[in-house]
Amino acid sequence: MTGTGIRPSECVVDLDAVRHNVTTLRGDDGADICVVVKADAYGHGAVAVAKAAVEAGASWLAVALVEEALVLRKAGIMAPILLLSEPPVAAAKAVCDAALSPFVYSPAFIDALNSEAQARNTTVAVHLKIDTGMGRVGVIERELQIVLSHLVAAASLRLDGVGTHLARSDENDPAAKSETLRQLEQFATLLPQVRHAGFQPRWLHAANTAAALQYPTARCLQFPGGTPTTLLRCGIGVYGLSPSVDVDAAANRLRPVLSLCSAVSFVKHITAGTPVSYGHRWRAPKDGWLATVPIGYADGVPRGLTNRATVLVNGRQLPVVGTVTMDQLMVWSGDTPIAVDDPVILIGTADTLSVRIEQWAQTLNTITYEIASQLTARLPRRYVGVSPADDVTETLR
Ligand SMILES: *Cc1c(COP(=O)(O)O)cnc(C)c1O
């Protein structure tokens, strides 16, 4: 999306950083990667990120919803797309039309998708999701044989991959580590059942970003009697963000992709004790400069940051003061004058100073995923680091 250029607030998305992060996550061994671009690429813009990821060698893309996959197909993206959860039965037609590869795990959907594929005389590639401990979606061990029997009977489906999802790979305490290893172990012990059902899937996958960075075994999964390729399923790391406080993106040479920028829209010199914003939750400690920035919680700057964040202006770190409102927030410049149109960085780097999404997440007791994915559509995304290949596809559209 591009803005009108009237309001100065925008997300700047660095596609060079996307490519760097994809390469970094793939590692020295050049592992195959499925780049997760659900939720509009965690708020970064799915089409642009997907194109950059494919350019950097991503074998697969993944989304949560059929609707999200259709946006990519409409933009001319032909890479294989994994649906991370089984869509409703009624979506079988759309899955075939757009050549999507869903995770499957329930007999009703497998049968419905097979009928749809059969009616068109085509074959649909699917991935089997096994629940080894996430407790969300996926077939559990006790029901694996039933689901496999439906897949065996589904002559118009091809089992192209088998995957599982880790619940605690981003935590470093011993209990979480042993649970992650147990999940990987359970996954490995169930694969012979898949083989005995007559399948030889091309792909195996278990690693999200945290596991790709921390669990070497999740990077080289073994299929009994075959040599399928391990696929890493990475989202957050592609955006250069830490999965948790225990797994640091920067320490793993991942670069933040998104900056959140605006500019001062109004300034005034206020006297000591002047209250600011709804509820008068802040008062000027002395006479000084107060600036208004035209960005608020309707853009995804959480109201919880009231009196609890800093922004970068003119090489200084200034506090956000008073309640964050829907469309605007205020910053305190104290004795130092500040002017309309001065650039404001809410997330990003200026010289030696930086504000990271990780800091917002810690302040708000949440995770980077939630902050990034809640930056709303009202904020234009401006892409930098666009490669010549991106330009070509952009023109064709
Ligand atoms: C979102 C998601 C991922 C990506 O996880 P990150 O922690 O962002 O790398 C991988 N697999 C599944 C099933 C997911 O839902």
Side-chain angles (χ1 to χ4, degrees), residues 251-263:
N252 284 287
R253 294 178 294 111
L254 299 171
R255 282 175 17 204
V257 170
L258 183 140
S259 306
L260 182 55
C261 304
S262 186

Side-chain angles (χ1 to χ4, degrees), residues 299-313:
D299 300 298
V301 179
R303 188 170 172 277
L305 292 178
T306 295
N307 293 331
R308 298 170 79 195
T310 59
V311 301
L312 308 179
V313 187

Side-chain angles (χ1 to χ4, degrees), residues 270-274 282-288 321 332 334:
I270 60 176
T271 55
T274 303
W282 186 86
R283 285 171 196 273
K286 59 180 182 179
D287 294 3
V321 297
W332 176 240

Side-chain angles (χ1 to χ4, degrees), residues 36 38 42 84 103 129 136 165 207-210 233-237 243 369:
V36 179
K38 62 191 177 191
Y42 297 36
L84 292 166
F103 257 142
K129 189 175 217 172
R136 186 172 61 178
H165 193 40
N208 55 7
T209 297
R233 271 191 337 260
C234 296
I236 202 76
Y369 302 72

Side-chain angles (χ1 to χ4, degrees), residues 316-365:
R316 294 190 307 143
Q317 199 141 11
L318 304 182
V320 171
V321 297
T323 305
V324 173
T325 74
M326 187 181 280
D327 315 302
Q328 307 181 82
L329 55 80
M330 273 61 78
V331 303
W332 176 240
S333 187
D335 295 328
T336 309
I338 184 166
V340 168
D341 292 340
D342 282 351
V344 177
I345 297 173
L346 292 102
I347 296 289
T349 301
D351 303 321
T352 57
L353 297 174
S354 73
V355 181
R356 295 189 54 114
I357 287 183
E358 282 81 353
Q359 291 167 271
W360 285 16
Q362 278 182 50
T363 298
L364 298 166
N365 198 22

